[in-house]
Amino acid sequence: MITQIARRLLVGVAAASLGILGMSAVPTQAAETPKTGPLSAAPAQAPTGQWKVRTSFFAKDGTDVPLREGTTNWGYKHIQHSHPEPDSSLYGWIDETLDNGTPKPDHNDPTKRVVRWRLAKGVMFRVVFSERVYSDSHDGRPRGIITAFKES
């Protein structure tokens, strides 16, 4: 009885070890990536230039809110041009605000939403983003963050 338990335990440990090490009974040809043929879909083109995604965020309601490279009018370049902050602080504040604040419609532009949140320092932080999708982005995701800054 003890030997059966020991044998089962040993077999279970061995199986788990092989799985952890990446060994399996799957034939190697099953692990190959499919070849591209005439009927294969082309891979999606990664956005470049102003549409390049620097990082992705999600609002607490699940809305996709990418931070794109942008221009001096929107996105990362705009934020660093108009409201410069170190990336580590900026990304943390954006994430905290989107996780905790409630997106509300922008009164000046119905295609934008505004989220505000009081940071631990007691300062209000604002994120303005657009859910509008532009074909120029080539990725089907929304424009994303227009601006983000500490309110004075």
Side-chain angles (χ1 to χ4, degrees), residues 74 76 83 118 152:
W74 65 276
Y76 181 80
H83 325 283
R118 188 168 305 283
S152 16

Side-chain angles (χ1 to χ4, degrees), residues 83 85 93 97 114-119 121-128 147-152:
H83 325 283
E85 295 289 349
W93 294 335
T97 301
V114 178
V115 184
R116 297 174 70 220
W117 183 251
R118 188 168 305 283
L119 303 173
K121 294 180 175 183
V123 176
M124 288 301 287
F125 195 77
R126 180 183 299 211
V127 177
V128 178
T147 191
F149 57 92
K150 290 187 289 186
E151 297 179 1
S152 16

